[in-house]
Every structure is written in C-alpha cells, then in structure tokens.
Amino acid sequence: MEENRTDRDQVKQEFMQQLLDSYFLVRRPLPEQGFFQENKTTQQIMQELSPMMVIPSEDIVEYMVAHEYSTTTDADGSVCWAIWRRLTKMD
C-alpha cells in the first residue's frame, strides 16, 4: 500500500514539473529580443494551470526562484513576478 502512494506521489511530482516546464517554455526571467513583459502573481499562474492540475503556491514559488525569476512592482503598485513572454505570430 505504501509503495502505491509513493508511486502516485512520484507521478504527481513528475507531472507538476512537466506542466510548469511547459507553461514557462515561452517565458523567460529576463528580457530578450522578441519577448514582451507579462507580469503575473503566483495566484494568476495557479489559476491558469488549474484546469490541468492544482499546484500549491509554494511549489510555484519554488520553481520561479529556482529558475531565477524575480519580483517587480506592477503599475497598480502590487507585487508580481517579472516574466517576459515570447511574441507568437498568429496565422
């Protein structure tokens, strides 16, 4: 029984990592040519990912820090993650 729980936890962790990697595939922690700034809070990221998996805020923060994302102050004075997103051409 314990082995099944461990296996499920491992699958959940692997999927969470895959989901976060996919979400950030077109996003960067620093500005680059062809990218625009798209600030988001941890809550906004959680909401965007929730149709696939509910990811706790602590796990998102851990991922962001590990991938060298930093915080910034948005136009309304709120604190959010500084994220640069690749411009994609719409066909």
Side-chain angles (χ1 to χ4, degrees):
M1 186 76 166
E2 183 65 33
E3 186 174 322
N4 288 340
R5 180 150 180 83
T6 302
D7 291 344
R8 281 196 311 261
D9 290 344
Q10 181 67 28
V11 168
K12 285 171 61 175
Q13 282 299 116
E14 288 173 4
F15 183 72
M16 182 179 68
Q17 183 69 42
Q18 178 185 354
L19 185 58
L20 287 165
D21 287 344
S22 293
Y23 181 82
F24 286 100
L25 187 62
V26 295
R27 293 170 173 87
R28 299 288 183 269
L30 296 172
E32 293 182 24
Q33 183 71 21
F35 285 65
F36 67 96
Q37 192 164 0
E38 179 187 56
N39 299 335
K40 292 189 180 282
T41 65
T42 303
Q43 185 68 38
Q44 288 170 319
I45 295 168
M46 287 172 61
Q47 289 172 344
E48 290 180 7
L49 295 174
S50 67
M52 293 294 293
M53 178 183 199
V54 175
I55 299 177
S57 60
E58 296 84 6
D59 290 322
I60 292 172
V61 169
E62 184 179 309
Y63 184 94
M64 300 292 285
V65 170
H67 288 84
E68 301 180 355
Y69 285 86
S70 61
T71 58
T72 190
T73 304
D74 216 354
D76 65 0
S78 63
V79 177
C80 52
W81 293 103
I83 300 171
W84 280 263
R85 184 175 176 186
R86 184 180 318 161
L87 294 172
T88 55
K89 183 178 177 182
M90 301 297 287
D91 291 330

